Amino acid sequence: MFEPEYLEGFRQIYEEKIVFNQTLGLKLTSVTPDGVTARITMKPELVGHFAYNRIHGGVISAVLDAIGSAAVMAALAAKHMDETPTKRLERFAKLGTIDLRIDYLRPGIGEYFDIHAQCLRVGSRVGSSRMEFMGPDGTLMSTGAAAYIVS
């Protein structure tokens, strides 16, 4: 549904312009109005517990927040397909996290992790999303819910 120009701009924002996401190694794998998926690969800089090589809880929280906001922005863009891709990408400037809740269900151990989010609702000022953080075998390790200001 989204134009290649929009998808490339979206990718640049999340993978390059948000430098912290670059540090985390966040890579988008799918962007649709129905949801966004991404992957991070485990690396020594992300370890939170040295004895178990477990990913840091802050990393989980940060990637869930990033993908939750991405899902809201994709849903918002889908509502405004009458605008140019550039105009829709400019909406990222007003994005901000209002509330974020993370539930850590299992230890984050694995070579890589897949993250998925879907927008539950996006209004004129606020959007909300639910997120999942999964291990390489698809095991659900953490969940999140968030609200974002979009205007």
Side-chain angles (χ1 to χ4, degrees), residues 67-69 71-72 117-121 127-131 144-148:
I67 295 308
S69 72
V72 167
Q118 81 179 90
C119 179
L120 302 176
R121 180 179 187 281
S128 61
S129 62
R130 291 216 193 275
M131 305 83 77
Y148 302 92

Side-chain angles (χ1 to χ4, degrees), residues 37-107:
T37 59
R39 177 172 283 185
I40 60 170
T41 301
M42 189 59 179
K43 56 186 179 178
E45 297 85 355
L46 304 181
V47 171
H49 195 297
F50 65 92
Y52 299 103
N53 202 37
R54 188 164 59 211
I55 196 165
H56 193 284
V59 173
I60 294 171
S61 177
V63 297
L64 287 174
D65 185 20
I67 295 308
S69 72
V72 167
M73 292 311 294
L76 185 64
K79 279 180 67 171
H80 295 279
M81 289 301 288
D82 57 317
E83 297 177 353
T84 66
T86 302
K87 181 97 169 127
R88 280 179 274 140
L89 289 169
E90 287 172 0
R91 291 177 174 276
F92 280 88
K94 296 183 177 179
L95 176 69
T97 305
I98 297 172
D99 186 60
L100 177 67
R101 176 191 167 82
I102 307 297
D103 289 316
Y104 301 97
L105 309 174
R106 293 179 182 81

